Amino acid sequence: EVQLVESGGGLVQPGGSRRLSCAVSEGTFDDLAIGWFRQAPGKGRERVSCISTSDGSTTYADFVKGRFTISADNAKNTVYLQINSLEPEDTAVYYCAAAFYVCRQDSYEYDYWGQGTQVTVSS
C-alpha cells in the first residue's frame, strides 16, 4: 500500500509563498503519478496539479495561472508544490494523492491519499 504524508502548510500573508511537500512510502515511487488537490471550506475537492514521477510530465488546473509549480525529487520519494502570490481564495486543505503511472483528471481515479495540510492565507 502506498502511504503519503503532506507537510508545509500554515498561515501565510496574502502575496506570500509556501512550499508543500508530499512524502511517499518507498518501493513504488517511480511508477506513480502524484496529484495535488485542495478543498476549501464548504466546497468540493478540486485538482490543482499532477506529476508523473517516471517522466516528469506535469499538468495544472487552469486557475493556477502560473502561480503553482509541481516538482519531484525521486531520490527522496517526495513531491513538492510551490505556491507563489498566495491569495485568500487559496485557503484550503491541500491533499496529495497517488495513482499508478499517469496523471488522472478526477479525484476518484486516485487510489491513495494523504491526510492533508492546511494552508490559510490571511493578513
Side-chain angles (χ1 to χ4, degrees):
E1 181 174 342
V2 179
Q3 296 180 335
L4 305 100
V5 178
E6 302 95 335
S7 61
L11 176 63
V12 189
Q13 290 190 342
S17 298
R18 203 77 180 179
R19 189 177 80 160
L20 307 181
S21 299
C22 174
V24 183
S25 57
E26 296 182 5
T28 59
F29 188 78
D30 293 346
D31 297 329
L32 298 175
I34 303 296
W36 281 98
F37 292 78
R38 69 183 187 182
Q39 187 164 16
K43 295 187 177 181
R45 192 168 295 188
E46 62 180 350
R47 183 180 60 86
V48 175
S49 184
C50 180
I51 187 167
S52 170
T53 59
S54 60
D55 64 7
S57 58
T58 60
T59 64
Y60 293 93
D62 290 342
F63 70 81
V64 165
K65 299 179 182 178
R67 297 187 298 120
F68 293 35
T69 303
I70 192 170
S71 61
D73 186 335
N74 290 49
K76 296 183 178 179
N77 283 11
T78 301
V79 170
Y80 303 98
L81 184 70
Q82 177 71 38
I83 311 175
N84 298 325
S85 302
L86 277 157
E87 305 167 350
E89 293 74 22
D90 295 317
T91 295
V93 178
Y94 284 73
Y95 299 90
C96 63
F100 282 101
Y101 306 118
V102 297
C103 288
R104 315 302 171 100
Q105 186 71 16
D106 297 311
S107 60
Y108 71 85
E109 298 178 280
Y110 289 78
D111 301 307
Y112 306 96
W113 290 81
Q115 82 290 350
T117 186
Q118 175 72 48
V119 174
T120 301
V121 184
S122 175
S123 56

